[in-house]
């Protein structure tokens, strides 16, 4: 593909959260996996792929999900968090000691992720090194890109998921070394969360991330009893967030999932360190956690992206996360704090594309120099009587609310077509 | 079909909100459109339809939706209620003066409703008699069953949707008379809500419902500004609900949509009159209304069903309403009142089946004597790695959360197969 590829269709993207950019019947050029630009007229060079009448949007980033939990996403939702972890999450994760089972379960997960709206992801695996590497292999082979973490946990966990501290550190180093054979999928340091990681392990993992120049992911402020627990476990820390900070675990290469119950000071710390928040609206409903103060995050300059948090969330659809994040922000405005305006559709779309995408580099926009992560959506298949009257942004909104998991007809990651 | 029909498959239903009844590989017998019973062994008589491996559940009832708004369900969701009504709802409803447009828009609506999870419904049309009758014809021809109301409104409405009071009453009587030609779809008296109906019109409509022995539907306590408005419009009434009561508009044949902000006294009045609440969780999020106190309704003996409230809700899926009602009840528990437990899956399923179905008669269960409203769901098409380990109720929950709008392979209403 010497002169690059040009996609023709109805282009729409966001460069900032305030509004959409779009060109109806426009052209999107890419070369070597990189966006060259958009235009209203056909460019002089490049092979044209004609998707006239379809929406063409940037790929979407899922900043937090648990790959081994996908098998039971949408099950056992009547149980509360700790019950649910004990009865279902931990027994299911323990199965991934068996790589045969892992191949089957991760195979189904990767197949559905590939068909869906996600192009980039940051995933938790389990404590099992073999199975975690297998997951990376499947994702790499599918053409997806993102991070996978072998989970580290050495306390307050069921026996079959507890590592000895020393062994946890050694296994993590082995995992990172063996994971270096992949190129599109990279390792991420993954302490499950402070309650299941001793100070010694947290310290070692923070150090590994620094020395190996690796990103890190964990959970923060998901629900009030967890916050209380961390207060008891880390009496020396000002807050849950500052406990992570003491282990050098915050920064622009860190994702903290949830952040539903942060204090003002913690929000300041997330902002000043550049830490990313993975906002998981569906999961925070399903697990009775609450509604994160996303408007405050945006106003205070915290980096935010959206996340399915499968299996706390039951859907892999990032479109569902876009519309759910808007819905819960409206409920928060009504029920909790009417000084913080609800999210608007362009803002939520921005969070799912360029907002979360920036964790991975130049990802999630059609600006020149961005990675060519692209979704083509045949939104006319769910056509409304009014379609001919709708603008391109209206069609995107209609699609996101009505058909969030259907009609994706082509998907490119770093310029490579994967469906 | 002399000896009746027998459906073989994995039967599951609720007789009360506390738990599921189910038979894996069971038999559901019906004759003359009526359920005869369920059994684990094949009955002696009847033609067997083999749906082995599929879930077989009672049809679901959508207690409140606006048929003309379906064209733009999922659009303009960033606007607040009054803005949204003025900019989109009213202009769109005004178009239904044109029966050509109505045929197109209602055609698309009925086609999607037929494919989906709803077997019974109570729908608002518009003020236009011709178009409302056309909608009834389309629904009747599709084999669906339920109520359609020509909307009545004579104040605080845009000119093109305002009726003169006298004309509103006359048109309503004509509508009821002409609607008598249908058998599966029946008319329902439909004052839009108190703000758009004068006392004189409300009184006349209450009287018509009484004299003609017809059901009635309207809106109640959707959001705080609406409640304030009614207080100003009806200074003589104790509450919004008691204003309806004074017009003889409450009772066991009345559906009141929303009821997000009822007072204790209003809850008592809804319970003592037997009025049905149409709980609309998605719509109440989309329009920033809040979260209705459904647990309190159940504890106080109020009749409750679920509703999409299209286009406040963007989805026609009753499975989505089931899972959304659970999610928002968890947020209400966490954020508003932790003395009221969240809804559990069997309870939400009960509300969508027998709970709301009871408004239409013996509808929404597999008990003998119930109308044969049945959905067959090929849940194995969305099979999980764990499927062989799942019980029938677990499979139903998994389907409801994961694939709420797919895989319905057969649908019976009053014993007649319609898809």
């Amino acid at each position: 593909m010497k002169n690059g590829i040009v996609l023709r269709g109805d282009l729409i993207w966001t460069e900032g959260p305030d509004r959409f950019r779009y060109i109806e019947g426009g052209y999107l050029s890419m070369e070597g996996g990189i966006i060259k630009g958009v235009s209203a007229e056909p460019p002089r060079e490049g092979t044209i792929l004609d998707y006239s009448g379809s929406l063409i949007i940037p790929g979407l980033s899922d900043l937090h999900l648990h790959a081994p939990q996908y098998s039971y996403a949408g099950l056992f939702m009547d149980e509360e968090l700790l019950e649910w972890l004990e009865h279902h999450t931990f027994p299911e994760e323990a199965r991934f000691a068996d790589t045969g089972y892992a191949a089957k379960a991760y195979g189904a997960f990767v197949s559905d992720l590939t068909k869906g709206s996600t192009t980039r992801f940051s995933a938790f695996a389990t404590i099992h090194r073999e199975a975690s590497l297998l997951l990376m292999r499947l994702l790499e082979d599918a053409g997806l890109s993102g991070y996978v973490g072998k989970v580290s946990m050495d306390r307050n966990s069921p026996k079959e998921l507890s590592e000895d501290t020393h062994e946890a550190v050694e296994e993590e180093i082995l995992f990172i070394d063996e994971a270096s054979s992949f190129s599109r999928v990279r390792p991420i340091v993954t302490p499950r969360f402070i309650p299941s990681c001793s100070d010694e392990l947290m310290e070692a993992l923070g150090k590994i991330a620094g020395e190996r120049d690796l990103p890190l992911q964990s959970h923060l402020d998901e629900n009030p009893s967890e916050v209380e627990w961390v207060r008891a476990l880390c009496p020396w820390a000002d807050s849950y967030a500052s406990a992570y900070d003491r282990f050098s675990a915050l920064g622009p290469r860190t994702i903290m999932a949830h952040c539903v119950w942060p204090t003002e000071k913690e929000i300041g710390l997330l902002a000043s360190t550049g830490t990313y928040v993975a906002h998981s609206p569906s999961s925070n409903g399903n697990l009775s956690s609450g509604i994160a103060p996303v408007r405050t995050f945006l106003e205070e300059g915290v980096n935010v992206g959206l996340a399915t948090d499968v299996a706390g969330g039951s859907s892999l659809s990032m479109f569902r996360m876009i519309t759910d994040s808007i819905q819960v922000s409206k409920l928060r405005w009504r029920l909790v704090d009417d000084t913080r305006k609800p999210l608007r559709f362009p803002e939520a779309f921005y969070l799912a594309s360029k907002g979360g995408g920036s964790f991975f580099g130049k990802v999630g926009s059609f600006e020149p120099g961005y990675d060519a992560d692209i979704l083509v959506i045949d939104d006319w298949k769910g056509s409304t009587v009014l379609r001919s009257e709708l603008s391109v942004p209206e069609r995107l909104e209609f699609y996101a609310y009505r058909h969030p998991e259907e009609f994706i007809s082509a998907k490119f990651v770093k310029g490579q077509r994967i469906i």
Side-chain angles (χ1 to χ4, degrees), chain A:
Chain A
M1 292 175 287
K2 254 210 310 226
N3 296 317
I5 301 267
V6 179
L7 273 59
R8 181 176 196 281
D10 301 325
L11 315 177
I12 176 164
W13 72 103
T14 47
E15 296 181 4
D18 51 324
R19 70 192 178 93
F20 283 109
R21 302 287 309 268
Y22 64 98
I23 307 175
E24 194 164 359
Y27 298 84
L28 174 67
S29 305
M30 58 174 160
E31 197 170 338
I34 303 293
I35 301 287
K36 285 171 66 186
V38 297
S39 56
E41 300 301 322
R44 293 204 194 146
E45 298 186 328
T47 308
I48 291 190
L49 301 180
D50 193 356
Y51 295 114
S52 294
S54 293
L55 294 171
I56 300 180
I57 69 169
L60 304 177
S61 291
D62 186 347
L63 281 197
H64 178 70
L65 80 168
H66 294 264
Q69 297 177 15
Y70 185 63
S71 313
Y72 62 91
L75 276 171
F76 321 120
M77 290 274 110
D78 285 347
E79 300 188 12
E80 289 177 32
L81 178 62
L82 295 180
E83 219 183 357
W84 182 79
L85 286 171
E86 192 189 329
H87 293 171
H88 307 290
T89 301
F90 291 146
E92 178 65 16
E93 290 197 10
R95 287 177 154 189
F96 287 75
D98 170 2
T99 48
Y101 181 76
K104 199 167 79 163
Y106 283 150
F109 164 71
V110 172
S111 161
D112 285 357
L113 194 72
T114 305
K115 284 180 225 150
S117 46
T118 299
T119 48
R120 305 285 174 131
F121 55 83
S122 190
F124 278 52
T126 61
I127 61 163
H128 312 96
R129 179 165 44 90
E130 289 295 326
S132 304
L133 291 164
L134 173 69
L135 172 61
M136 292 180 86
R137 163 61 59 206
L138 291 169
L139 288 161
E140 173 109 353
D141 289 350
L144 289 157
S145 182
Y147 296 109
V148 169
K150 174 212 159 305
V151 176
S152 301
M153 48 205 289
D154 71 342
R155 68 170 173 186
N156 298 319
S157 306
K159 206 172 123 248
E160 62 278 21
L161 288 181
S162 251
E163 303 172 287
D164 163 81
T165 308
H166 184 70
E167 172 206 345
V169 175
E170 291 211 323
E171 282 291 301
E172 177 63 13
I173 291 170
L174 275 175
F175 168 70
I176 294 165
D177 287 343
E178 295 180 35
S180 68
S181 61
F182 304 110
S183 62
R184 296 163 82 93
V185 182
R186 311 289 306 148
I188 182 166
V189 176
T190 306
R192 187 168 203 121
F193 65 155
I194 281 181
S196 48
C197 297
S198 66
D199 292 2
E200 195 187 340
L201 178 56
M202 282 303 307
E203 213 159 292
L205 293 173
K207 223 170 132 188
I208 289 172
E211 286 171 0
R212 299 285 192 123
D213 193 23
L214 288 174
L216 182 147
Q217 61 183 351
S218 198
H219 297 90
L220 174 63
D221 290 334
E222 182 169 3
N223 85 42
S225 11
E226 172 209 10
V227 174
E228 276 310 305
W229 194 10
V230 173
R231 200 189 310 275
L233 290 168
C234 305
W236 44 265
D238 261 6
S239 68
Y240 196 168
S242 71
Y244 279 120
D245 194 35
R246 144 120 179 238
F247 300 122
S248 313
L250 299 186
R253 302 200 63 205
T254 290
I255 296 170
M256 284 290 160
H258 308 305
C259 302
V260 178
W261 299 99
T263 62
E264 243 177 79
K265 262 180 137 175
E266 283 180 297
I267 295 174
L269 187 55
L270 293 170
S272 65
T273 54
T275 303
Y276 278 74
V277 169
H279 174 46
S280 313
S282 302
S283 167
N284 296 337
N286 283 336
L287 297 177
S288 305
S289 304
I291 305 173
V294 176
R295 173 65 65 202
T296 308
F297 292 150
L298 298 178
E299 286 172 354
E300 301 298 323
V302 177
N303 286 319
V304 185
L306 299 184
T308 61
D309 187 33
V310 158
S314 53
S315 169
L316 282 176
S317 168
M318 290 305 296
F319 291 105
R320 178 75 191 262
M321 295 312 113
I322 289 171
T323 57
D324 277 5
S325 71
I326 296 170
Q327 273 185 344
V328 300
S329 75
K330 289 170 175 174
L331 291 176
R332 193 173 203 283
W333 170 83
R334 173 67 76 189
L335 301 173
V336 181
D337 181 358
D338 68 4
T339 68
R340 309 288 181 162
K341 284 193 185 163
L343 292 180
R344 295 171 57 255
F345 182 63
E347 291 176 315
F349 184 83
Y350 172 82
L351 295 181
S353 53
K354 190 174 171 181
S358 63
F359 186 76
F360 304 93
K362 286 188 143 189
V363 169
S365 178
F366 288 161
E367 293 157 78
Y370 269 67
D371 282 0
D373 286 14
I374 302 162
L375 299 175
V376 178
I377 299 166
D378 294 347
D379 69 312
W380 47 268
K381 284 192 186 165
S383 66
T384 158
V385 180
L386 300 177
R387 187 169 189 268
S388 60
E389 302 169 21
L390 299 182
S391 68
V392 175
E394 285 166 353
R395 280 168 48 203
L396 182 61
E397 184 186 14
F398 182 80
Y399 171 77
Y401 276 95
R402 286 271 282 261
H403 303 284
E405 294 168 63
E406 303 166 60
F407 309 153
I408 296 172
S409 59
K411 179 166 162 180
F412 298 80
V413 179
K414 297 185 180 183
Q416 184 190 317
R417 184 168 175 182
I418 69 166
I419 60 169

